[in-house]
Amino acid sequence: MGINPQDKKALSDALARRLPAYYRHVCIMLAEGKQTITSSELAKKVGNTSAQVRQDFFTCGGVENYHPDTLKDWLSGLLGIKKEHHMVVIGAGNLGRAIISFKDFNTDGFFIDAVFDNNLMLDGMQICGIPILPATSLEDYLSANKVDIVVITTPASVAEEILEKSVKCGVKGIWNFAPVDLRSNENIEVQNVHLSDSLLTLSFRMNEKNNWKE
Amino acid sequence: MGINPQDKKALSDALARRLPAYYRHVCIMLAEGKQTITSSELAKKVGNTSAQVRQDFFTCGGVENYHPDTLKDWLSGLLGIKKEHHMVVIGAGNLGRAIISFKDFNTDGFFIDAVFDNNLMLDGMQICGIPILPATSLEDYLSANKVDIVVITTPASVAEEILEKSVKCGVKGIWNFAPVDLRSNENIEVQNVHLSDSLLTLSFRMNEKNNWKE
DNA sequence: TAGATTGTTAATCGATTAACAATC
DNA sequence: TAGATTGTTAATCGATTAACAATC
């Protein structure tokens, strides 16, 4: 049982995106007091088929049983959220503030410890109780404190530089909102979130549907 | 040339997500004054292969030539951004504010005309020059004004209700940031953006990589 | 012209779906 | 026990990659 260490092939992106949805719905059903969950129930929630749920779970090594607690625990392990993650946010703009204010992260063990901004007027201030530090002190901070994930909400121009500093200081993950495609490498995992791309994808689908009607 | 109207099969999600990235990089290269773009150059930018770029373009009906202007124009048409899109944001919280402050949207013809919030204290105020209106007036507003896209930044509990009102009033797209999986249907296209899912996917990849090293 | 690049078909690869014996 | 559900293998389907003649 469990992922075979020899088998070094990463699981597919499609699956890596479905796992959080499984986890989210299992948590909801657990909170609702459900005693058991079937593959078809879960499939219905996330919008796929029971066969895919079972195949996904099989691919991930299999789970003991389908009790909500067991499922939640097993998915937590897969998602790596049995340990705490410490994060810093780069950029104290609107998006940075929005991310800091997402209280939900804490329940899954994600903690934001500091915010960095190059506007020195903000130095010493706080956002939701998180201190704002000068951008120039980032490297010192990363060297002195254990930071697992760096969240980039800066303009595109400085994103690559922040990535490099992060790697140098042993950070293992980047959650990037700047409109550049940063790449994962052997030292660090990158998750790019391109909000405007997402809006364009929506527009594309709306347009596609509209064209069919003609 | 062009998508055959008879061929009613939607293009794949993978492709629908790559198109905005092609567009983004073409715009950048155009701004940089590049005179021509090859499939391998573009592939390198977006992180795939030249064969895939050519196959994608072929699947989308093909483009006349690879001049940056031609490519940008052609991709604009595909993405449906040759026409303006009028949007309203539901929820004047931090995320709502962040989205309103993204000036970049405007350049692609996306305009935010109003923000709705159920906190009556905010009624009559503005965010970046956009008026805040009471949530109760949403349906009236949607009936009286042409709104193409509704952006949901509310708690999960009210998202479904907003979707239904939007459909009823002829809105064609939903950009949903609430942590519920809203579904597209024949009347409306939904794009779900689950930020915490995205963070969990990052955590999953970090964990996966870490396990291999053991 | 020669070299590079595209458009398009065919081959391969991987993900999803189907099937069904084993288990609950 | 009978009915439903799972775990797992096999079949199918679709997306990516390769190949190469036609074009730039």
Side-chain angles (χ1 to χ4, degrees), chain B:
Chain B
M1 200 75 64
I3 299 169
N4 187 334
Q6 270 92 294
D7 179 3
K8 299 243 176 191
K9 196 145 45 63
L11 297 180
S12 77
D13 278 340
L15 174 50
R17 265 196 297 268
R18 285 194 296 267
L19 289 175
Y22 293 140
Y23 175 74
R24 182 158 40 86
H25 285 286
V26 165
C27 288
I28 292 169
M29 289 158 101
L30 182 62
E32 285 170 349
K34 279 195 75 78
Q35 293 305 305
T36 186
I37 297 175
T38 65
S39 54
S40 0
E41 277 179 299
L42 192 51
K44 198 173 170 191
K45 296 284 186 188
V46 306
N48 58 5
T49 64
S50 69
Q52 188 165 61
V53 171
R54 292 199 305 279
Q55 183 64 276
D56 283 350
F57 287 7
F58 178 67
T59 307
C60 292
V63 61
E64 295 278 317
N65 60 62
Y66 278 57
H67 289 295
D69 326 77
T70 315
L71 275 173
K72 180 179 176 182
D73 185 66
W74 178 71
L75 286 166
S76 300
L78 277 178
L79 293 171
I81 53 178
K82 287 193 169 181
K83 42 181 175 286
E84 290 186 357
H85 287 89
H86 287 268
M87 319 205 287
V88 299
V89 173
I90 322 294
N94 281 294
L95 186 58
R97 283 160 203 270
I99 288 166
I100 291 163
S101 66
F102 287 157
K103 292 287 180 299
D104 350 1
F105 294 162
N106 296 354
T107 59
D108 289 327
F110 294 97
F111 298 97
I112 297 172
D113 297 329
V115 196
F116 294 84
D117 199 284
N118 57 14
N119 179 356
L120 293 177
M121 302 284 282
L122 299 174
D123 188 12
M125 298 180 75
Q126 297 194 336
I127 300 173
C128 299
I130 314 292
I132 307 181
L133 306 175
T136 48
S137 68
L138 176 62
E139 236 174 313
D140 286 345
Y141 183 95
L142 294 179
S143 308
N145 298 275
K146 183 178 179 304
V147 173
D148 303 290
I149 296 173
V150 165
V151 187
I152 302 179
T153 72
T154 63
S157 52
V158 290
E160 185 64 49
E161 184 191 333
I162 294 169
L163 171 76
E164 282 160 23
K165 285 181 183 167
S166 302
V167 170
K168 207 203 291 182
C169 299
V171 173
K172 293 300 175 200
I174 296 278
W175 199 22
N176 174 46
F177 290 81
V180 271
D181 297 303
L182 300 180
R183 307 256 191 272
S184 298
N185 59 45
E186 62 276 15
N187 298 310
I188 202 160
E189 278 298 312
V190 176
Q191 183 77 14
N192 293 303
V193 182
H194 295 323
L195 293 179
S196 33
D197 281 21
S198 152
L199 181 59
L200 289 178
T201 298
L202 172 60
S203 172
F204 167 74
R205 289 295 191 200
M206 290 166 68
N207 188 238
E208 186 183 34
K209 178 183 279 182
N210 193 48
N211 286 343
W212 288 346
K213 293 201 179 137
E214 276 164 14

Side-chain angles (χ1 to χ4, degrees), chain A:
Chain A
M1 202 74 65
I3 299 169
N4 187 335
Q6 271 91 295
D7 179 2
K8 299 240 176 194
K9 197 144 45 63
L11 297 180
S12 77
D13 277 340
L15 175 49
R17 264 197 298 267
R18 285 194 296 267
L19 288 175
Y22 292 141
Y23 175 74
R24 182 158 41 85
H25 284 287
V26 165
C27 289
I28 292 169
M29 290 158 102
L30 182 61
E32 285 170 349
K34 278 195 73 80
Q35 293 305 305
T36 187
I37 297 174
T38 64
S39 54
S40 0
E41 277 179 299
L42 192 50
K44 198 173 170 192
K45 296 286 187 188
V46 306
N48 59 4
T49 64
S50 68
Q52 187 165 59
V53 171
R54 294 198 305 278
Q55 183 64 276
D56 283 349
F57 287 8
F58 178 66
T59 307
C60 291
V63 60
E64 296 277 318
N65 60 62
Y66 278 56
H67 289 296
D69 325 78
T70 315
L71 275 172
K72 180 179 176 181
D73 185 67
W74 177 71
L75 287 166
S76 299
L78 277 177
L79 293 171
I81 54 178
K82 287 193 167 180
K83 42 180 174 289
E84 290 185 358
H85 287 89
H86 287 268
M87 320 205 286
V88 299
V89 172
I90 322 293
N94 282 294
L95 185 58
R97 283 161 202 269
I99 289 166
I100 290 163
S101 66
F102 286 157
K103 292 287 179 299
D104 351 1
F105 295 161
N106 295 354
T107 59
D108 290 326
F110 294 97
F111 298 98
I112 297 173
D113 297 330
V115 194
F116 293 83
D117 200 284
N118 58 13
N119 179 354
L120 294 176
M121 302 284 282
L122 299 174
D123 189 12
M125 299 180 74
Q126 297 195 337
I127 300 173
C128 301
I130 314 291
I132 307 181
L133 306 175
T136 48
S137 68
L138 175 63
E139 237 174 313
D140 286 346
Y141 184 95
L142 293 180
S143 307
N145 298 274
K146 184 179 179 304
V147 174
D148 303 290
I149 297 172
V150 165
V151 187
I152 301 180
T153 72
T154 64
S157 52
V158 290
E160 186 65 49
E161 184 191 333
I162 294 169
L163 170 76
E164 282 159 23
K165 285 182 182 166
S166 301
V167 170
K168 206 203 291 184
C169 299
V171 172
K172 294 299 173 200
I174 296 278
W175 199 22
N176 175 45
F177 290 82
V180 271
D181 298 302
L182 300 180
R183 307 256 191 273
S184 299
N185 60 44
E186 62 277 14
N187 299 309
I188 202 160
E189 277 298 312
V190 176
Q191 183 77 14
N192 293 304
V193 182
H194 294 323
L195 293 179
S196 33
D197 281 20
S198 152
L199 181 59
L200 289 178
T201 298
L202 172 60
S203 172
F204 167 73
R205 290 294 191 199
M206 289 166 68
N207 188 238
E208 186 182 34
K209 178 184 279 182
N210 194 48
N211 286 342
W212 289 347
K213 293 199 180 140
E214 278 164 13

